[in-house]
Amino acid sequence: MAKQEDQFKKVLSHAKEYGYVFQSSEIYDGLSAVYDYAQNGVELKKNIRDYWWKAMVQMHDNIVGIDAAILMHPTTWKASGHVDAFNDPLIDNKDSKKRYRADVLVEDFREKINQKIQKDIEKAQKRFGDAFNEEEFRATNQNVIRRQKQIDEISAELARVQEENDLAGFKQLIVDLGIGCPASGSKNWTEVKQFNLMFGTQIGASAENATQVYLRPETAQGIFVNFLNVQKTGRMKIPFGIAQTGKAFRNEIVARQFIFRMREFEQMEMQFFVKPGTQKEWYTTWKETRLKWHLSLGMGSENYRFHDHDKLAHYADAAADIEFNFPFGFKELEGIHSRTDFDLKAHEEFSGKKLQYFDHEENKSYVPYVVETSIGLDRMFLAVFSNSLQEEELENGTTRTVLKLPAVLAPFKAAVFPLVKKDGLPEVAKKIIEDLKWDFNVFYDEKDAVGKRYRRQDAAGTPFCITVDHDSLEDNSVTIRHRDTMDQKRVKISDLRDIIKAEVDVKTWLKKMEA
Ligand code: ATP
């Protein structure tokens, strides 16, 4: 655990030091759970968005994009269920004045019991060596059996109070389990209340005429309300998809964990409209396709897992998360949901307009079913950034910090250095930049010894460093150094573009999805 926390702290300070992420309005001590992307961060974020857009829109002739407004007609959120049901249960501690999500308090308590089981298993594993059989141990060890029973009972009661919206029962569960405030230990709790996560604001010049509107809590509804417009004007045939990237806002009760849980964040969503009855197949297809997209970035298949939901949202007939191994453990990175015809039917009902598709093959109209893929761009950023940040022991006994970003996503693809700041070398270096900048983001640096410049670019995540020396003036060649292998090669200046392109080209990376 301590190692994980250490790694997470490194991620936070590195993100700031190397110009990736800053706290919002830092000079005023920041705004909780709101962040700004800095000069390198904005490039990485854009590259992730582009990588998603290319894979989803450009590579599918039956998927198109839109960019809907953040503000929508308020009835949208009545129809979608967000006004009535987009709530989290919150509880305050009367002594420490700290606020918590009641479900998270219970889940964390349950996880502690689970960790005790894991410890017993590890101990037994050490004792019995190869002869250890985990299944048998779980079935026979009295401590494990007792703890597992406790976990099961907590899970059942948690599911019940959530399903029945039994807020008194929720509080009782916290009291019965003896859960104390994580900050102070105090067990002096308020009642549990439901808290709506939408940010409200008003449209209109005067108070009497003002209309209550909301900052959208998800981008999906902008797609649903445009379903028929896009289908008709794009002459789309089912099955087809509409993709969108954009900001979403949630007034999260407890917003910790850096850009994992923000109050203002960006989503990349795609709603795929299918014939009723075929949704299960499409759900499976999209689960597989989305996992392939993640794996194409080469961040280790062991770092991903599916988590199929037992408790389904009111609109879903199947749902799964793709979880990623973040510095604080496996957590949701993307959701794939089979949303049935819930949303379109609800919008039909609330708007009084038909949102149906005429199927020429079947010769009838129907409300399509929807399979959604929904990923948080900021969470993806955190996954990529934290996974890439590594400390390496070098042969000479020193260590280097290197940000091994997938080259296709790196903010700058190459840095160009003159070996010294004189003898015409800066001019050659700048000429190379002039030439390469049409194709890639490239960076010029002439300060400090070359070794130091290499380290700076390693830490910033730049895949290539190009050094111009005195021989370059004679042979039109330079030294190119690879960030990950640290190999150095002498190459012709005229070959640089192709060498870089071979490693950073989106096509090369996306092709891996076909493997
Ligand atoms: P969680 O259970 O972590 O709150 P969720 O199930 O509410 O997430 P969805 O409503 O399915 O999330 O949203 C789709 C995706 O949007 C999530 O998989 C996640 O990547 C991203 N996301 C959701 N809430 C936030 C947030 N507060 N900050 C950053 N990203 C978020």
Side-chain angles (χ1 to χ4, degrees):
M1 207 61 181
K3 211 173 141 217
Q4 276 191 345
E5 271 167 31
D6 267 7
Q7 172 64 9
F8 192 37
K9 277 194 191 134
K10 277 187 196 148
V11 167
L12 296 187
S13 59
H14 200 86
K16 177 167 183 201
E17 192 181 338
Y18 284 87
Y20 276 87
V21 184
F22 299 151
Q23 215 183 355
S24 157
S25 0
E26 197 192 74
I27 58 167
Y28 296 105
D29 297 332
L31 184 64
S32 166
V34 186
Y35 290 91
D36 295 341
Y37 287 87
Q39 66 278 14
N40 282 322
V42 71
E43 298 286 343
L44 173 57
K45 196 175 171 199
K46 176 175 133 328
N47 292 343
I48 296 172
R49 194 191 294 110
D50 287 351
Y51 194 67
W52 182 87
W53 192 267
K54 286 224 157 93
M56 300 299 277
V57 181
Q58 190 172 326
M59 299 307 295
H60 290 97
D61 56 11
N62 60 350
I63 300 181
V64 293
I66 62 163
D67 183 18
I70 287 170
L71 298 176
M72 299 181 67
H73 192 285
T75 310
T76 310
W77 306 110
K78 266 302 229 191
S80 67
H82 283 82
V83 172
D84 296 323
F86 195 51
N87 300 322
D88 274 343
L90 71 77
I91 189 164
D92 291 298
N93 188 277
K94 291 184 194 164
D95 296 325
S96 70
K97 310 276 182 251
K98 296 245 183 249
R99 174 162 284 185
Y100 298 96
R101 257 173 70 172
D103 54 338
V104 173
L105 282 179
V106 175
E107 280 165 10
D108 286 352
F109 182 85
R110 186 178 60 185
E111 181 55 27
K112 276 195 197 129
I113 306 174
N114 186 37
Q115 276 170 12
K116 283 186 191 151
I117 296 181
Q118 291 306 330
K119 261 204 190 128
D120 282 349
I121 290 173
E122 276 164 33
K123 258 197 235 153
Q125 218 158 14
K126 270 197 196 133
R127 194 147 33 98
F128 296 115
D130 287 345
F132 180 70
N133 178 331
E134 185 177 328
E135 214 173 301
E136 194 181 314
F137 182 75
R138 278 179 180 273
T140 52
N141 182 286
Q142 286 312 312
N143 273 341
V144 174
I145 292 174
R146 181 174 46 78
R147 289 190 172 125
Q148 189 56 51
K149 187 163 168 265
Q150 211 184 347
I151 289 180
D152 294 343
E153 284 169 2
I154 294 172
S155 302
E157 183 59 5
L158 181 62
R160 185 193 71 75
V161 294
Q162 285 177 316
E163 230 142 79
E164 295 174 12
N165 196 20
D166 175 3
L167 300 182
F170 221 139
K171 156 115 189 245
Q172 198 55 46
L173 178 60
I174 289 171
V175 171
D176 290 348
L177 294 175
I179 297 177
C181 164
S184 67
S186 155
K187 295 179 182 169
N188 193 4
W189 295 109
T190 61
E191 298 307 310
V192 175
K193 277 186 287 199
Q194 286 292 13
F195 176 76
N196 193 290
L197 299 185
M198 281 199 294
F199 282 102
T201 186
Q202 261 128 38
I203 279 190
S206 63
E208 311 85 74
N209 298 331
T211 309
Q212 164 85 43
V213 291
Y214 301 97
L215 301 186
R216 65 182 177 198
E218 62 175 27
T219 56
Q221 299 304 324
I223 296 179
F224 294 129
V225 298
N226 280 300
F227 156 74
L228 208 55
N229 279 341
V230 174
Q231 191 272 318
K232 288 226 149 82
T233 56
R235 291 187 290 130
M236 308 301 291
K237 288 210 168 61
I238 271 181
F240 74 93
I242 305 178
Q244 169 165 234
T245 70
K247 286 276 172 103
F249 302 81
R250 294 182 188 177
N251 197 0
E252 300 279 1
I253 295 172
V254 183
R256 281 190 232 109
Q257 299 174 318
F258 192 38
I259 54 172
F260 181 82
R261 189 173 297 290
M262 302 157 91
R263 295 204 162 102
E264 172 179 344
F265 58 101
E266 192 165 337
Q267 290 186 313
M268 306 191 287
E269 297 198 304
M270 193 278 298
Q271 311 294 328
F272 201 68
F273 300 92
V274 305
K275 189 153 112 182
T278 63
Q279 71 271 20
K280 281 269 148 64
E281 285 157 50
W282 283 111
Y283 169 70
T284 310
T285 302
W286 279 111
K287 266 174 78 174
E288 284 165 9
T289 309
R290 291 303 305 147
L291 185 62
K292 278 190 192 156
W293 180 84
H294 287 284
L295 296 179
S296 73
L297 289 168
M299 300 202 297
S301 55
E302 71 285 0
N303 288 319
Y304 300 87
R305 69 181 189 199
F306 278 116
H307 168 242
D308 294 314
H309 291 201
D310 314 317
K311 182 178 171 267
L312 293 172
H314 56 285
Y315 53 75
D317 70 358
D321 298 333
I322 295 179
E323 294 185 337
F324 184 75
N325 191 8
F326 286 98
F328 33 83
F330 275 94
K331 287 267 181 310
E332 172 177 344
L333 169 59
E334 170 159 8
I336 292 115
H337 310 125
S338 176
R339 290 181 81 124
T340 68
D341 55 2
F342 173 85
D343 301 273
L344 290 180
K345 275 218 165 120
H347 287 304
E348 277 198 325
E349 191 189 318
F350 279 80
S351 68
K353 310 263 162 47
K354 273 206 179 325
L355 295 175
Q356 302 194 354
Y357 172 79
F358 184 76
D359 190 325
H360 286 277
E361 274 167 31
E362 305 256 327
N363 200 26
K364 65 172 191 200
S365 294
Y366 53 75
V367 177
Y369 270 48
V370 173
V371 175
E372 158 185 87
T373 73
S374 173
I375 175 170
L377 175 49
D378 313 86
R379 278 195 196 173
M380 186 62 195
F381 185 110
L382 183 59
V384 171
F385 193 86
S386 59
N387 186 267
S388 302
L389 185 59
Q390 295 173 23
E391 295 271 330
E392 273 184 0
E393 301 275 339
L394 300 181
E395 274 168 15
N396 63 9
T398 59
T399 54
R400 73 162 179 154
T401 301
V402 53
L403 190 62
K404 290 189 169 175
L405 298 171
V408 65
L409 302 180
F412 285 84
K413 304 307 185 195
V416 187
F417 314 147
L419 185 63
V420 289
K421 265 193 274 184
K422 54 183 185 183
D423 305 335
L425 303 190
E427 287 75 9
V428 178
K430 283 179 183 161
K431 167 105 197 3
I432 293 174
I433 298 234
E434 279 305 308
D435 194 34
L436 291 179
K437 76 178 186 192
W438 295 89
D439 296 286
F440 319 109
N441 269 348
V442 272
F443 188 83
Y444 178 77
D445 190 4
E446 58 177 24
K447 198 166 175 288
D448 300 321
V450 167
K452 248 191 167 171
R453 285 183 252 171
Y454 282 156
R455 288 301 148 79
R456 268 204 296 269
Q457 293 305 319
D458 286 347
T462 311
F464 292 105
C465 288
I466 295 160
T467 307
V468 175
D469 57 23
H470 290 94
D471 289 343
S472 308
L473 301 173
E474 308 295 326
D475 63 4
N476 283 324
S477 296
V478 287
T479 301
I480 187 163
R481 172 187 178 271
H482 199 276
R483 177 195 67 198
D484 298 347
T485 60
M486 292 190 290
D487 283 346
Q488 301 190 15
K489 252 196 339 204
R490 196 82 191 157
V491 301
K492 288 266 167 235
I493 291 174
S494 54
D495 289 341
L496 281 172
R497 176 179 295 99
D498 289 345
I499 293 171
I500 298 170
K501 188 162 188 258
E503 289 227 11
V504 308
D505 196 27
V506 179
K507 182 173 170 187
T508 321
W509 289 80
L510 277 182
K511 276 259 173 202
K512 293 180 195 163
M513 284 183 73
E514 287 173 1

